[in-house]
Amino acid sequence: MRIEKIPVEFEERYIANDGRVWRTQTECEQYEELLADPSPLKNLSFFDSEGNPIDIFQIKDIPAFSYLVLTNGIKRYLPTVVKAIVGDPYGCDTSSYSLPTEQGIWYNDWSNAYNGAYGSNGWVRQPSIKSLQCEINDYQRKIKLFQKMQQGG
């Protein structure tokens, strides 16, 4: 009888210039890109629910129930990479860090998760100021119409 030992599985690891280990080449490349120049993330405007600016690098997190204003589109970055650059020591992979890439105002809505419900959590595009103004105008017209009808014409 003869026994042979055969390597069955290999694990590829990608090691960034600073020594951080990544599972995929894309993660490693994006991490090195943002590590060299974090301005794509630093130029993003985050706000709390009352409209006050949030410095995500100072608090080392992107809070649930916060707003993001994108005046220009950005490149899509993987959640694990964003968490590593922002400063989360655990590098958790949650959808709150899958940042929107299109221009607009976005709300990081996690009410389903916190209320024990299922469904969509994460970034939700908000209506534009122009569309909100049109909605207000429509409601004002309806109010005038209903007041006129209640007064008998």
Side-chain angles (χ1 to χ4, degrees):
M1 176 185 347
R2 193 173 94 196
I3 298 175
E4 287 185 4
K5 292 188 178 188
I6 302 169
V8 178
E9 239 180 83
F10 289 95
E11 181 179 298
E12 256 183 358
R13 299 184 325 173
Y14 298 86
I15 303 166
N17 294 334
D18 69 349
R20 187 168 183 137
V21 178
W22 294 94
R23 292 174 298 165
T24 69
Q25 182 177 349
T26 303
E27 284 177 317
C28 191
E29 289 171 348
Q30 287 185 2
Y31 176 74
E32 286 183 332
E33 176 186 325
L34 285 173
L35 196 59
D37 179 18
S39 63
L41 297 180
K42 286 190 174 185
N43 292 331
L44 300 176
S45 301
F46 290 91
F47 299 89
D48 66 16
S49 60
E50 298 193 7
N52 301 312
I54 299 171
D55 182 354
I56 60 170
F57 287 88
Q58 183 179 19
I59 64 172
K60 299 186 184 319
D61 197 6
I62 299 173
F65 309 107
S66 61
Y67 288 92
L68 168 62
V69 177
L70 285 175
T71 52
N72 298 311
I74 64 166
K75 176 181 172 181
R76 182 171 301 279
Y77 292 102
L78 294 168
T80 50
V81 174
V82 173
K83 291 280 279 187
I85 296 297
V86 167
D88 176 41
Y90 305 107
C92 298
D93 187 1
T94 61
S95 63
S96 68
Y97 290 88
S98 293
L99 296 175
T101 58
E102 297 176 22
Q103 184 176 350
I105 298 174
W106 299 83
Y107 181 62
N108 195 9
D109 186 359
W110 283 79
S111 54
N112 284 332
Y114 287 122
N115 292 327
Y118 297 100
S120 177
N121 292 300
W123 295 102
V124 178
R125 186 181 200 122
Q126 299 300 292
S128 68
I129 293 172
K130 185 176 181 179
S131 71
L132 288 173
Q133 190 61 53
C134 288
E135 218 174 305
I136 289 170
N137 292 342
D138 287 343
Y139 281 117
Q140 287 174 337
R141 277 193 289 277
K142 282 184 182 180
I143 289 170
K144 286 180 184 176
L145 172 66
F146 292 168
Q147 286 173 336
K148 181 178 178 182
M149 291 184 333
Q150 283 180 334
Q151 294 171 358

